[in-house]
Amino acid sequence: LGRWCGKGIFDKDVDDVTLNITPNSTICDHWPEEELKNVPVMSEHVKEALKFLGKDDDGFFLMYEQGDIDWAAHADHLDDLLGAMLDIDDSVTEIMNWIDNNGGYEKNSLYVTADHDHYLTLLPHFPEVVANMIIDGISHNITPESNTAVNAWTEAILAERHNDGNKTQTEHLKDFSTWSDEEIQNVAHFFGPHGSGGNGWGSHSTRPIVIHHGGDDGCLEALVGKGYRILGREVEGATDKLDQVHVHACMMKALFGL
C-alpha cells in the first residue's frame, strides 16, 4: 500500500509570511517499485556489518541508526514512523541473535536508545485504533489525509509569531496545524503540546527518552542522577535520569576498560 505523501499548500502575504497551510494529499511511495526492489532493508546492512566486523579477534564497535524515524517524526507522519520502528526491531533482533551466538552478554554490550524526543503523544485507545487499521488493510490512515508534512514550529517563527503576545504559544502553533479534533481522535495520537492541533509541531523536544541495554555490568545504573564534567564545566545530574555522556562513558568502559 502507498502512504499519504502530499505537502501543504502555503498561503502567504506580500511579505512572504505564511498565513495559512492547506493540505494537498496524494498517495505515493518513497521510491518507484522497480527501484525499491534494489534497496536492501536495514537489517541486511546490519547483518553484513556484523559478519564483517565479527572477524576481528580484538572485538569491535558498531553504531547503527535508523534515520528515517527522525524524518517521519519531523513530518508528523506516524505511518512512516511505525515502518521505521519495525525496521529498527528487525535490525536489533539481528544484533541480539549475533550476541547470543558470540559469547552472550558476558562478552558483549548492547545499547538501544535515541538522541531526542519528537513530542508525540499516544492516546489510550491508540493500540485498538492501529490494530483495527492493520486488520482492515488501511494502516496508512494512521496518518490523517490532512497531514501537511510542514514544521508548524518553524513556520510560526518565520511568521514572527514568537514576537506576538496576543496568543499563547499553543494557540499560535494551532494556526499552522491542519488536523481536526475528530481526526486526532480517529488516529489516537498527536504531535506537539495538547491543544496545538495534531500536527502542530514538527521539531525536537526536551522530553526524556528511554534506553534499553544488555551486558552493561551495572555501569548505567551506577551513573543515574550523577553529574559530570565536560569542557571544563561541572554539570549537575538530574534525579532518576541519565545523560548521553553517561552512555558514552559506559561504552568506553566496555571497549577499553576506562
Side-chain angles (χ1 to χ4, degrees):
L1 291 175
R3 52 185 285 280
W4 296 120
C5 58
K7 292 191 175 182
I9 301 172
F10 290 80
D11 178 20
K12 296 177 178 277
D13 65 14
V14 294
D15 296 318
D16 201 36
V17 174
T18 299
L19 301 175
N20 190 37
I21 302 169
T22 303
N24 179 28
S25 298
T26 54
I27 288 287
C28 71
D29 286 311
H30 288 287
W31 296 282
E33 185 175 350
E34 286 303 312
E35 185 177 342
L36 190 61
K37 294 177 182 179
N38 299 315
V39 179
V41 296
M42 183 61 71
S43 61
E44 294 177 5
H45 287 287
V46 171
K47 186 175 182 178
E48 290 303 314
L50 290 168
K51 186 186 299 184
F52 177 77
L53 294 172
K55 299 175 182 178
D56 193 330
D57 294 333
D58 295 325
F60 63 90
F61 171 81
L62 168 65
M63 188 190 82
Y64 130 70
E65 177 185 13
Q66 214 299 353
D68 288 352
I69 192 171
D70 182 69
W71 296 352
H74 276 296
D76 303 316
H77 204 299
L78 195 67
D79 184 26
D80 285 354
L81 191 151
L82 291 175
M85 287 297 297
L86 292 173
D87 212 14
I88 292 170
D89 185 67
D90 290 343
S91 300
V92 171
T93 297
E94 287 288 346
I95 296 171
M96 294 174 70
N97 288 340
W98 188 93
I99 289 175
D100 288 340
N101 294 321
N102 290 271
Y105 290 100
E106 291 184 358
K107 292 188 175 181
N108 300 282
S109 297
L110 171 64
Y111 300 92
V112 183
T113 189
D115 57 339
H116 54 75
D117 171 76
H118 268 280
Y119 222 151
L120 166 64
T121 298
L122 302 180
L123 298 177
H125 60 299
F126 175 79
E128 179 182 359
V129 167
V130 71
N132 286 333
M133 286 187 178
I134 292 172
I135 292 170
D136 294 339
I138 55 171
S139 59
H140 64 285
N141 283 335
I142 199 64
T143 294
E145 183 178 356
S146 67
N147 194 51
T148 57
V150 170
N151 188 324
W153 178 261
T154 298
E155 291 305 316
I157 292 175
L158 290 174
E160 298 288 333
R161 293 297 189 90
H162 56 297
N163 293 324
D164 183 355
N166 294 319
K167 292 182 178 181
T168 66
Q169 181 187 84
T170 298
E171 289 171 334
H172 282 302
L173 287 171
K174 189 171 178 61
D175 288 343
F176 296 92
S177 67
T178 53
W179 298 8
S180 68
D181 291 340
E182 181 181 2
E183 284 177 317
I184 293 172
Q185 290 301 314
N186 288 342
V187 299
H189 73 276
F190 59 89
F191 290 88
H194 180 71
S196 66
N199 58 333
W201 197 245
S203 190
H204 301 170
S205 83
T206 58
R207 298 199 303 184
I209 57 174
V210 298
I211 182 168
H212 303 278
H213 57 90
D216 180 70
D217 197 27
C219 182
L220 286 180
E221 283 84 350
L223 294 176
V224 172
K226 301 292 186 182
Y228 54 90
R229 183 176 180 83
I230 186 168
L231 298 177
R233 299 179 59 185
E234 296 293 335
V235 179
E236 185 177 349
T239 304
D240 298 327
K241 300 291 191 302
L242 288 163
D243 191 273
Q244 302 251 3
V245 169
H246 297 130
V247 182
H248 177 262
C250 289
M251 289 192 295
M252 293 293 286
K253 179 181 179 181
L255 282 167
F256 305 113
L258 300 177

